[in-house]
Amino acid sequence: MNTVYTYAAVAVVQLLVSPMLHAETANSTANEPIEKLIITSSRMDKPLSAIPNTVTVIDQEQLKQQLAASRDLSSILGNLAPSFSPSRQKMSNTGETLRGRTPLIMIDGVPQSNPLRSGGRAGQTIDPAMIERIEIIHGANALHGLGAQGGIINYITKKPQGSNEHRVSFNVSAPTDYESDGLSYGANYAFSGHADKLDMLGSVGYQSSGVYYDADGKVIGVDTTQGESMDSQSKDFFLKLAYDLGGSQLQLMINHYDMANNGDWMPVNGDYTNNIPTAAVKQKQPWDAANNKVTTSSLSYKNLAVAGQQLEIQLFNQNFKGVYGGGCFASFYDPAYANDSNLTRCGAGNDGEQLFYEQSRNKSNKWGLKTSLIANNIADSAVDVAYGLDLFRDTTEQDLLQTGRSWVPETKYNNIAPYLQLSYSPIKALNLSSGLRYEYAQLDINDFATLWASGNKQVTGGKPDFNKTLFNIGISYNFTEELRLYSSFNQGFSMADIGRILRDGNSFPGDAPSVNRSLTLTPVVTDNYEFGVDYQGSLFASKLALYRSTSDNGARLSRNADGFYTVAREKSAIEGLEASLRIFLGQDDDLGSSLALQRGEYDADKDGSTDTDLDGSNIAPNRLNLYWEHRFSDEMSSRIQANYFMDRHFTDKNGDRYAEFDGYTTVDASLALPLFGGEMSLGLQNLLNKDYYTYYSQTVPSNSRYFKGMGRTISIGFSLPL
């Protein structure tokens, strides 16, 4: 990999923009020291200055600015943390990565990602209106266990404030080339209250999304398989209760999110070789429309004085059901259903068999218990210790909705993980950290049969297991209150998508196939090396981070001819750079830029050396973001931002190009102003009405998913306390 070229290019850019470097916090201002930003996702509640990793904090004001133009959380993440992949603008977030690897998405520390059968829906489990801030820890780590290969994205929900208030909010958006079916609208009601020792916060929200139009005023193609966010409705119910026990606190959080496509549009295949986009025609889908139903709940207890230590206990549950759209797939054909009158026929297969429409459903139920004890400054030694035990169980199954056949058998994942984390500050400016996490996991799979198209193999179940000790070490040194240098090594782990492996008949060769004989339960362990330096002063702030992540036995998504993905286990390596600069022009104006460069390869011929570029379903484009914020008054502000996605090509082990990306630039703008005792927001997404194909569509092209991006869209929002 051309490491020297990448790093040299970045160095030139940094020399042009700034001689100093800063810690990336989306809410930093000239008067707010980084030290005050406590990162709860670190599990030690450490200030940012003591964490030897790149961290992005997106606060409430930044969220409001972004939501004024788009309610798509993936777009917001990319705007403020550009090493995150561009949004697919669909219900699915498959292929959206952080630093080229899949991140662990959480809500208040509760995992939303499905480790056994991903399904690509972890980004569609909460209404953005319920989020107070977002903490992003870049790079692989094992702080919260399974899944954080690319880092952690923790959506931290709003908290009761101990006051009584009611608030209503409304929003509406439409393409500027107005079409009535392109109208989107939503409403939210929220209340907070206080009674004796109980604080409460609740809200209900509804959102209706219209049809998306491209820059030419044409309906964007629909993804009826993985799921479509346009022409959909979503509902969210949120409740948080906090009870003061006198020296300790008990908190309950419940969030239920229900998103469903209306099923009123069908795709019209494009032709990516001739630059013809996938389109859509208004026609009722002959299957159940794609939907998400997710309930996340958490019961937390915190006591600041247990034998001189801080105790935190969290019991959580996440129940996920995701229905995927249907299609006429040879992979789902089974002669046992050839005469079933309840199925809708859709065409002939390669051997003349009569195919039928079919679709799948993913069901996952996760339970977990996180326990932590934190002891600070033990015996005046400047040593802080965090230790505890995490327990986790995930039960997952994927079935076919029309025939009722099991595609991925019910699989239980049981995990136990004790951990120990140390932090030592021999002098105020220096912080050393190190930790261990021991993972023991076991799968429990009953006997099952693969689909007929996958060989109709009768597979004997089993209980394969594994154990792994994960390690981290880091250093952070503050030369001054403004300038900091840090470096770290972290290991993160995840499972290869077990569901994709189990449903693939090729995973079980030979006679008498069995789980114990054929399924090697080797986790994906990612080593992340990072070096960073950051600066935050009164005139500007800037940051630079260099990283490299490697996995000797990674898990790459590889698409088959039928559009379904399998898991390829092979060595992979990703390296990159993240840089940003924010200039404070007096009290009213900020100018900023952020740059993300990354490149990744995998070992295609399995000779021990990486040789082929990772494609767009595994790695993000090189990207430059620019913005200007202006404050007219304490309550009126504006932001304009430009996202430049750079051209790139992808080559195989022979140096031949197998995919291309034609880069593009989009511009967004937002304005917030007081009105009638409330707050109004105005937003324009794709202000210049740029005509483009999305990154995923270009880099992993298929005629059924060659989608254009959204054209210029205007949004208006209003929020009013009652």
Side-chain angles (χ1 to χ4, degrees):
M1 298 176 68
N2 198 343
T3 308
V4 175
Y5 171 81
T6 301
Y7 288 171
V10 175
V12 170
V13 172
Q14 283 301 112
L15 286 171
L16 291 174
V17 297
S18 170
M20 305 293 260
L21 304 161
H22 94 100
E24 180 177 348
T25 55
N27 62 331
S28 296
T29 67
N31 298 316
E32 182 178 12
I34 294 177
E35 183 71 26
K36 292 184 179 180
L37 295 171
I38 302 300
I39 309 303
T40 60
S41 302
S42 70
R43 300 198 71 171
M44 293 188 77
D45 290 356
K46 284 289 185 180
L48 184 56
S49 60
I51 296 178
N53 304 89
T54 301
V55 178
T56 299
V57 180
I58 303 172
D59 74 353
Q60 183 63 199
E61 284 305 309
Q62 286 279 22
L63 271 175
K64 286 181 179 179
Q65 287 177 336
Q66 297 297 321
L67 290 171
S70 173
R71 297 183 62 80
D72 180 11
L73 280 170
S74 293
S75 294
I76 293 172
L77 292 173
N79 290 337
L80 300 176
S83 57
F84 188 81
S85 296
S87 171
R88 291 181 62 180
Q89 301 178 3
K90 301 295 180 183
M91 189 183 292
S92 171
N93 64 300
T94 296
E96 294 178 2
T97 60
L98 179 64
R99 287 189 173 179
R101 301 188 187 275
T102 305
L104 172 62
I105 297 177
M106 304 188 297
I107 297 176
D108 287 347
V110 180
Q112 302 299 295
S113 308
N114 296 318
L116 300 183
R117 177 64 193 93
S118 172
R121 296 281 185 84
Q124 298 280 3
T125 63
I126 189 171
D127 186 330
M130 315 303 170
I131 300 172
E132 177 65 30
R133 73 180 189 277
I134 304 173
E135 293 183 356
I136 306 172
I137 299 179
H138 300 232
N141 66 76
L143 291 171
H144 292 270
L146 185 70
Q149 290 186 73
I152 291 170
I153 300 174
N154 193 11
Y155 298 131
I156 298 175
T157 61
K158 295 181 177 179
K159 295 179 174 60
Q161 299 299 318
S163 59
N164 297 302
E165 182 184 71
H166 299 266
R167 179 175 290 271
V168 292
S169 303
F170 307 94
N171 68 84
V172 61
S173 64
T176 52
D177 183 12
Y178 178 73
E179 296 289 345
S180 60
D181 56 9
L183 183 69
S184 300
Y185 55 90
N188 177 272
Y189 164 73
F191 70 90
S192 61
H194 173 77
D196 195 18
K197 297 183 178 181
L198 179 66
D199 292 328
M200 64 191 77
L201 174 68
S203 67
V204 290
Y206 173 81
Q207 190 72 29
S208 176
S209 297
V211 176
Y212 298 162
Y213 283 83
D214 65 20
D216 292 331
K218 298 177 181 178
V219 177
I220 292 174
V222 294
D223 189 337
T224 54
T225 304
Q226 291 189 341
E228 182 57 63
S229 56
M230 81 175 194
D231 185 41
S232 68
Q233 301 179 61
S234 63
K235 293 166 285 203
D236 194 292
F237 168 80
F238 175 78
L239 178 67
K240 182 176 281 188
L241 304 175
Y243 190 77
D244 184 1
L245 296 171
S248 62
Q249 185 187 68
L250 189 65
Q251 182 170 274
L252 172 69
M253 184 276 291
I254 300 173
N255 187 79
H256 177 74
Y257 181 76
D258 187 339
M259 180 180 189
N261 187 260
N262 294 326
D264 293 333
W265 292 79
M266 286 288 286
V268 177
N269 279 355
D271 184 349
Y272 69 87
T273 59
N274 291 307
N275 204 34
I276 299 174
T278 303
V281 60
K282 193 161 189 179
Q283 178 184 331
K284 198 68 179 176
Q285 297 172 13
W287 49 71
D288 291 353
N291 62 72
N292 260 13
K293 293 183 180 180
V294 189
T295 301
T296 303
S297 55
S298 169
L299 181 63
S300 302
Y301 174 76
K302 181 181 254 188
N303 192 321
L304 301 180
V306 177
Q309 303 175 80
Q310 175 178 310
L311 172 66
E312 296 183 13
I313 302 174
Q314 182 186 34
L315 174 67
F316 65 82
N317 173 255
Q318 195 243 25
N319 189 278
F320 169 88
K321 291 182 181 178
V323 172
Y324 297 82
C328 193
F329 305 120
S331 299
F332 290 160
Y333 174 75
D334 191 328
Y337 299 93
N339 299 316
D340 191 331
S341 60
N342 294 319
L343 301 177
T344 303
R345 308 298 153 176
C346 57
N350 293 333
D351 298 324
E353 69 273 21
Q354 290 298 305
L355 304 180
F356 49 82
Y357 289 122
E358 183 58 286
Q359 62 189 127
S360 72
R361 173 177 55 190
N362 211 19
K363 297 181 290 185
S364 177
N365 191 30
K366 293 183 277 292
W367 286 93
L369 178 68
K370 294 180 180 181
T371 60
S372 298
L373 279 163
I374 302 173
N376 293 317
N377 194 25
I378 298 175
D380 293 325
S381 63
V383 174
D384 299 338
V385 179
Y387 60 99
L389 178 68
D390 293 347
L391 305 176
F392 182 70
R393 164 172 280 196
D394 184 347
T395 303
T396 291
E397 179 184 13
Q398 188 174 17
D399 60 358
L400 301 183
L401 207 59
Q402 306 301 325
T403 60
R405 277 292 309 268
S406 176
W407 193 14
V408 176
E410 182 178 277
T411 306
K412 292 184 176 67
Y413 173 86
N414 299 304
N415 174 239
I416 180 170
Y419 75 92
L420 172 68
Q421 191 72 27
L422 301 175
S423 177
Y424 175 51
S425 295
I427 58 176
K428 184 178 180 181
L430 177 65
N431 184 269
L432 305 172
S433 62
S434 184
L436 294 172
R437 183 182 176 96
Y438 175 78
E439 296 281 349
Y440 172 78
Q442 181 188 66
L443 281 184
D444 186 351
I445 307 168
N446 293 327
D447 298 349
F448 70 98
T450 66
L451 296 184
W452 185 82
S454 294
N456 194 28
K457 296 184 178 181
Q458 306 298 312
V459 182
T460 302
K463 295 183 178 181
D465 63 359
F466 76 87
N467 61 83
K468 182 68 178 178
T469 300
L470 303 165
F471 177 71
N472 72 78
I473 187 169
I475 180 173
S476 176
Y477 184 75
N478 293 275
F479 291 95
T480 67
E481 291 187 359
E482 295 84 14
L483 181 63
R484 179 176 79 109
L485 181 145
Y486 62 89
S487 185
S488 64
F489 168 78
N490 285 273
Q491 289 184 306
F493 90 106
S494 68
M495 300 291 296
D497 195 321
I498 294 298
R500 295 185 192 273
I501 296 173
L502 292 176
R503 74 190 193 187
D504 184 2
N506 294 325
S507 302
F508 303 96
D511 298 329
S514 71
V515 167
N516 286 337
R517 185 180 300 117
S518 300
L519 182 62
T520 302
L521 194 60
T522 304
V524 180
V525 177
T526 302
D527 295 337
N528 186 78
Y529 305 85
E530 182 167 358
F531 171 83
V533 55
D534 53 61
Y535 173 84
Q536 183 162 330
S538 60
L539 299 178
F540 68 91
S542 82
K543 160 262 186 180
L544 174 67
L546 306 176
Y547 64 87
R548 178 177 173 86
S549 71
T550 62
S551 181
D552 290 335
N553 194 15
R556 177 179 60 89
L557 288 181
S558 176
R559 192 177 68 186
N560 297 329
D562 61 3
F564 294 112
Y565 284 86
T566 56
V567 177
R569 301 300 304 270
E570 57 216 355
K571 183 176 182 178
S572 64
I574 299 171
E575 60 188 16
L577 168 150
E578 296 166 343
S580 64
L581 171 70
R582 184 167 187 162
I583 302 172
F584 309 113
L585 301 178
Q587 296 297 315
D588 298 328
D589 293 276
D590 294 348
L591 296 177
S593 66
S594 55
L595 175 70
L597 302 177
Q598 59 183 267
R599 183 178 177 184
E601 291 181 345
Y602 67 93
D603 182 9
D605 56 14
K606 302 194 180 207
D607 66 351
S609 298
T610 59
D611 50 34
T612 300
D613 289 341
L614 289 166
D615 66 14
S617 63
N618 293 276
I619 199 165
N622 295 331
R623 176 173 179 170
L624 175 66
N625 292 0
L626 303 170
Y627 65 89
W628 169 39
E629 292 181 5
H630 178 70
R631 290 170 288 279
F632 298 92
S633 65
D634 291 341
E635 298 180 331
M636 185 175 178
S637 62
S638 65
R639 177 183 172 105
I640 185 167
Q641 61 191 24
N643 294 311
Y644 168 49
F645 302 94
M646 305 177 194
D647 296 349
R648 82 181 309 163
H649 60 266
F650 304 84
T651 59
D652 61 21
K653 63 180 182 179
N654 299 316
D656 298 325
R657 296 187 182 186
Y658 70 86
E660 299 271 354
F661 173 58
D662 184 11
Y664 55 87
T665 301
T666 59
V667 178
D668 306 322
S670 64
L671 174 69
L673 66 158
L675 183 69
F676 302 130
E679 183 178 48
M680 178 178 238
S681 65
L682 300 173
L684 278 168
Q685 183 181 7
N686 195 1
L687 174 66
L688 302 181
N689 203 32
K690 176 65 177 179
D691 183 33
Y692 67 95
Y693 290 91
T694 65
Y695 175 71
Y696 185 88
S697 296
Q698 290 191 54
T699 55
V700 195
S702 69
N703 292 337
S704 61
R705 291 180 187 150
Y706 194 48
F707 300 123
K708 283 196 171 183
M710 294 174 63
R712 183 168 50 231
T713 305
I714 186 170
S715 301
I716 302 174
F718 183 64
S719 177
L720 179 69
L722 301 178

